[in-house]
Amino acid sequence: MSENGALPHRGRVLTVDTMNPNVKKVDYAVRGPIVQRALQIEKELKEGVKKPFEEVIKANIGDAHAMGQRPITFFRQVMALCSYPQLLDDNKFPEDAKNRARRILQSCGGNSIGAYTTSQGIDCVRHDVAKYIQRRDGGIPSDPDNIYLTTGASDGIVTILKLLTTGEGRTRTGVMISIPQYPLYSASIAELGAVQVNYYLNEEKCWSLDISELQRSLQAAREHCNPRVLCIINPGNPTGQVQSRQCIEDVIRFAAKENLFLMADEVYQDNVYAEGCEFHSFKKVLFEMGPEYSRKIELVSFHSTSKCYMGECGFRGGYMEVINMDQEVKAQLSKLVSVRLCPPVPGQALMDLVVNCPQPGEPSYQTFMKERTAVLSALAEKAKLTEEILNTVPGISCNPVQGAMYSFPRITLPQRAINEAKAKGQTPDMFYCMKLLEDTGICLVPGSGFGQRDGTYHFRMTILPPTDKLKIMLHKLKEFHQTFTQQFA
């Protein structure tokens, strides 16, 4: 206190200059400036402001239900029963849904999904996840003790990166990520103060992964950091490629030779559309390569309720399976997840339904299979439609959407547009996407938010809108690109 008893005037404790500098480096393009502007435009439309369009079409994020995909009936029936157990006496619900709900509730404290669970997740759910992985991988064993339920896959990915980040200067952990990449990775690496190590996918070969490029990236990174982890997204986001078994084997051999920890983001494992493509889990391939690899490689794989045919993003359900993790590190992992108490229990319950879905002979089986097939068939149709229409536009080139939920076409921009973008302090594809939003109401994410080779420009677009709306959107996009090119010619 001063002599007159007044408190001395001091500045704020927390300012942009005194905050954690790593947070300021975080960038998440999927919800960046274009999305913020899209929300403003939606508000303006509601207030009666006249625009050259009647609605904003948000094709920026893989949020299936927001784009009109209907929930799977069985999942919502069980979730309703878990949330309001009195419905278990209602004869409108099928017995297999009631049985799943009873089993989940009996595993919860006080028979309520409002209770905390163990930090690693509900025991019976982890057992069901292990059985699912074992079935998926042709009988290769899965240990429930290696399963951690997570708040979506994102939570698991960040948790593992926390364990791996250490050192200073040239010993600082380097994290190898594909370019283009999903911005969760670059954002998490920035927040944790790790070093981002880019390896480029081959756009000319349908966004394939070349081992020679991994080797180039690794050698360059070793000059300034300690690359310890290799991240793979399969099927790919934002690029929609599906890795061949041979490619996965080559990656595993590379990781073994270079002593790298493997992280396999496999949240789109049911989203495979292209003829001749098939999902192969990293774990399955690893164990089929024999003990020389399966006893050595440290691998964590991730899955989620948010993608595939489920699209249940808001429940934030997911899991990770850890393979060959040091037991002392595993104890530290269990300690780390305990700090957050437990993942959301409704998300854990939903994850259980994904891995323990209706089986032949159960009352819900036929409806479940009909709905599941309809969603995946529609996505396959929209993947093909997107590729075909975009490739009719001069100046747009789109690789086949083999899987996942996105196209990542390359766009050729006039030099005048590039110059104007730079004058405004924007990347050229940000300038393009912002003008697209203002002129048509279509909200996409510029390729610069995912990373791309210098001198190339792209955007990411989901294939999730209903087919009729997707066709309208693609034709609007076609008209816009032609007009944009003429305007800046």
Side-chain angles (χ1 to χ4, degrees):
M1 280 192 179
S2 62
E3 289 182 8
N4 62 5
L7 287 171
H9 178 74
R10 295 192 179 106
R12 294 182 188 276
V13 174
L14 181 63
T15 70
V16 75
D17 293 322
T18 62
M19 68 181 287
N20 183 340
N22 288 339
V23 174
K24 290 189 281 186
K25 297 175 187 175
V26 170
D27 187 25
Y28 191 64
V30 172
R31 297 202 174 190
I34 285 188
V35 181
Q36 298 308 312
R37 177 58 187 144
L39 293 172
Q40 287 177 349
I41 290 173
E42 282 187 320
K43 187 178 178 183
E44 290 168 10
L45 286 169
K46 286 177 184 175
E47 292 169 350
V49 178
K50 294 298 180 186
K51 302 281 182 184
F53 48 86
E54 294 180 354
E55 66 170 333
V56 173
I57 302 176
K58 292 204 271 289
N60 61 295
I61 194 166
D63 191 351
H65 292 187
M67 298 305 296
Q69 181 179 308
R70 293 178 64 82
I72 298 294
T73 301
F74 180 76
F75 292 168
R76 288 304 180 89
Q77 286 174 330
V78 179
M79 295 309 297
L81 291 163
C82 287
S83 299
Y84 191 59
Q86 287 89 332
L87 293 174
L88 287 164
D89 297 325
D90 192 323
N91 60 14
K92 294 187 184 73
F93 290 82
E95 279 306 310
D96 52 349
K98 291 181 178 181
N99 290 338
R100 298 293 200 289
R102 289 189 188 101
R103 182 167 175 265
I104 291 166
L105 289 170
Q106 287 165 6
S107 300
C108 296
N111 292 324
S112 170
I113 60 169
Y116 288 132
T117 70
T118 59
S119 299
Q120 197 167 341
I122 298 172
D123 187 64
C124 76
V125 178
R126 291 190 294 109
H127 276 79
D128 286 345
V129 169
K131 288 174 188 172
Y132 161 80
I133 292 171
Q134 191 162 324
R135 287 194 309 273
R136 183 198 67 188
D137 292 344
I140 294 166
S142 177
D143 183 350
D145 194 45
N146 290 336
I147 306 297
Y148 289 77
L149 301 183
T150 56
T151 307
S154 303
D155 171 51
I157 290 164
V158 174
T159 298
I160 296 301
L161 287 174
K162 279 184 182 177
L163 292 179
L164 285 155
T165 301
T166 184
E168 297 293 337
R170 289 187 64 170
T171 67
R172 192 64 172 166
T173 295
V175 182
M176 298 181 70
I177 62 171
S178 62
I179 299 295
Q181 53 101 24
Y182 177 49
L184 164 72
Y185 290 90
S186 55
S188 302
I189 291 165
E191 183 183 353
L192 295 170
V195 179
Q196 179 175 320
V197 178
N198 297 339
Y199 64 89
Y200 289 88
L201 301 177
N202 190 334
E203 184 172 8
E204 282 65 40
K205 294 183 179 177
C206 206
W207 299 112
S208 63
L209 192 163
D210 296 333
I211 297 301
S212 60
E213 170 60 14
L214 285 180
Q215 194 69 60
R216 178 209 63 78
S217 171
L218 182 71
Q219 287 174 343
R222 282 179 172 158
E223 295 296 316
H224 60 89
C225 68
N226 178 24
R228 304 179 68 206
V229 54
L230 172 58
C231 301
I232 307 286
I233 308 175
N234 180 49
N237 175 11
T239 43
Q241 83 284 6
V242 178
Q243 289 188 350
S244 68
R245 183 192 168 93
Q246 183 60 54
C247 178
I248 294 171
E249 286 186 13
D250 291 344
V251 169
I252 290 170
R253 290 190 185 95
F254 176 80
K257 177 170 75 80
E258 302 295 347
N259 198 32
L260 295 170
F261 190 106
L262 270 178
M263 293 174 62
D265 181 339
E266 298 176 336
V267 302
Y268 298 99
Q269 58 190 257
D270 291 323
N271 298 111
V272 177
Y273 318 122
E275 192 173 335
C277 289
E278 182 182 350
F279 171 74
H280 303 277
S281 79
F282 263 78
K283 183 191 174 186
K284 182 175 190 286
V285 175
L286 173 65
F287 277 79
E288 288 178 347
M289 288 173 70
E292 177 187 357
Y293 297 98
S294 63
R295 290 178 184 169
K296 175 182 178 182
I297 290 286
E298 295 157 88
L299 167 70
V300 182
S301 57
F302 307 89
H303 195 18
S304 165
T305 62
S306 301
K307 309 303 177 184
C308 298
Y309 62 94
M310 301 86 70
E312 294 279 11
C313 305
F315 277 98
R316 310 307 300 131
Y319 73 74
M320 60 183 176
E321 182 183 29
V322 302
I323 303 296
N324 292 326
M325 181 172 277
D326 180 273
Q327 287 303 309
E328 291 184 19
V329 174
K330 203 172 167 187
Q332 294 296 318
L333 170 59
S334 296
K335 178 186 74 175
L336 185 59
V337 299
S338 72
V339 174
R340 299 184 189 178
L341 296 177
C342 69
V345 183
Q348 295 187 51
L350 185 62
M351 191 76 250
D352 189 59
L353 305 178
V354 173
V355 299
N356 185 24
C357 58
Q359 298 300 305
E362 290 189 306
S364 301
Y365 177 73
Q366 288 188 339
T367 299
F368 170 78
M369 288 303 296
K370 181 180 177 183
E371 292 176 346
R372 180 186 189 276
T373 302
V375 170
L376 294 175
S377 297
L379 286 170
E381 177 191 340
K382 290 186 282 190
K384 189 70 176 168
L385 180 73
T386 299
E387 176 201 347
E388 288 175 348
I389 293 179
L390 288 177
N391 280 327
T392 66
V393 186
I396 297 183
S397 173
C398 183
N399 271 315
V401 183
Q402 297 176 335
M405 296 177 171
Y406 317 96
S407 63
F408 196 73
R410 185 169 175 170
I411 50 176
T412 302
L413 301 179
Q415 189 59 46
R416 268 190 63 209
I418 294 170
N419 294 342
E420 186 160 334
K422 289 178 179 175
K424 290 188 171 186
Q426 295 179 339
T427 60
D429 46 12
M430 169 68 83
F431 176 74
Y432 176 92
C433 288
M434 193 64 84
K435 187 159 178 55
L436 174 71
L437 173 63
E438 297 287 355
D439 291 1
T440 69
I442 297 171
C443 180
L444 306 179
V445 189
S448 50
F450 301 89
Q452 55 198 352
R453 285 195 180 275
D454 289 343
T456 68
Y457 307 107
H458 303 78
F459 58 76
R460 189 189 79 163
M461 185 188 87
T462 73
I463 61 169
L464 291 172
T467 304
D468 56 346
K469 188 173 282 191
L470 181 65
K471 287 179 180 176
I472 292 168
M473 186 175 83
L474 288 167
H475 286 296
K476 274 188 173 184
L477 180 55
K478 180 177 182 176
E479 290 172 3
F480 169 83
H481 188 82
Q482 291 168 336
T483 304
F484 181 92
T485 303
Q486 290 166 3
Q487 181 182 349
F488 291 97

